[in-house]
Amino acid sequence: MGLDTVELIMEFENHFNIHFKDKEIQKISRVGEVSNLICQMINIHSENKDEFDSLYVSFQNYFGNNIQLNDKISNYLEVNNYKDLSDYLNLKVKNYSNILKYVFLDHHFIKWKELTVEEFINGILIRNCKHLFDNNSPKTIYQVYLIVGNIILDRIDCPVYDIQSYASITKDLRID
């Protein structure tokens, strides 16, 4: 386990006021597994995803009711309408599609043209979760996932849309 991983684990422990056992940590390889373990430790069982559902409805209002979660977001977004979408949602929306270092160097694990609407919504919520609900008192499994994602985003330089529940912490997010 590398120094970045140890520091990240300590950040999770500090934020959620918990302590992982070594054998628990050794079993974790994905972002969703971290979130689920934290939920077990702090006794959260609700699978409610109000933040996600609300943002998806906003997407349907903005893009049209035909937009589906497994659609590619690149089919709906153009380079110039990220700001319009951000203003409409009143949330920060990160645009990686026109940043040469990510396109040219292929730095990120999710290929921009393959990013789904669902993954895009997750990224927006991770980036904005501090303003959407009380991060010190999460009520749902999804809120814990968003907080975990936001902690990863704050600590590690990786694109927010890569922080998906199925993402490998070491391989996909390149956290050693």
Side-chain angles (χ1 to χ4, degrees), residues 12 15-16 35 125-126 129-130 133-140 142-153:
F12 296 144
H15 182 87
F16 291 101
S35 301
L125 292 171
I126 286 169
C129 75
K130 291 178 184 173
F133 58 89
D134 181 359
N135 283 216
N136 293 320
S137 300
K139 306 283 187 249
T140 68
Y142 190 67
Q143 287 181 351
V144 170
Y145 158 68
L146 296 176
I147 295 166
V148 164
N150 192 265
I151 290 170
I152 292 170
L153 183 63

Side-chain angles (χ1 to χ4, degrees), residues 97-169:
S97 67
N98 63 355
I99 298 176
L100 283 179
K101 82 173 192 176
Y102 290 106
V103 175
F104 185 75
L105 299 176
D106 198 23
H107 172 73
H108 53 95
F109 125 76
I110 292 181
K111 306 300 179 232
W112 184 254
K113 293 289 186 186
E114 299 301 313
L115 185 69
T116 67
V117 170
E118 181 176 12
E119 293 163 337
F120 191 68
I121 289 173
N122 285 336
I124 292 171
L125 292 171
I126 286 169
R127 182 166 182 175
N128 292 276
C129 75
K130 291 178 184 173
H131 308 292
L132 298 173
F133 58 89
D134 181 359
N135 283 216
N136 293 320
S137 300
K139 306 283 187 249
T140 68
I141 294 168
Y142 190 67
Q143 287 181 351
V144 170
Y145 158 68
L146 296 176
I147 295 166
V148 164
N150 192 265
I151 290 170
I152 292 170
L153 183 63
D154 285 349
R155 300 280 304 160
I156 308 299
D157 182 25
C158 70
V160 67
Y161 303 113
D162 283 358
I163 307 170
Q164 301 296 326
S165 63
Y166 58 84
S168 166
I169 294 169

Side-chain angles (χ1 to χ4, degrees), residues 3 8 11 13 21 25 27-28 34 45 53 56-57 59 62-63 84 92 103-104 113 120 132 146 153 155 170:
L3 183 58
L8 194 57
E11 191 75 27
E13 289 176 332
K21 295 177 179 149
I25 293 299
K27 296 178 186 177
I28 294 174
V34 172
H45 304 288
D53 295 338
Y56 182 49
V57 168
F59 267 57
Y62 185 81
F63 293 111
D84 292 339
K92 294 177 184 175
V103 175
F104 185 75
K113 293 289 186 186
F120 191 68
L132 298 173
L146 296 176
L153 183 63
R155 300 280 304 160
T170 54

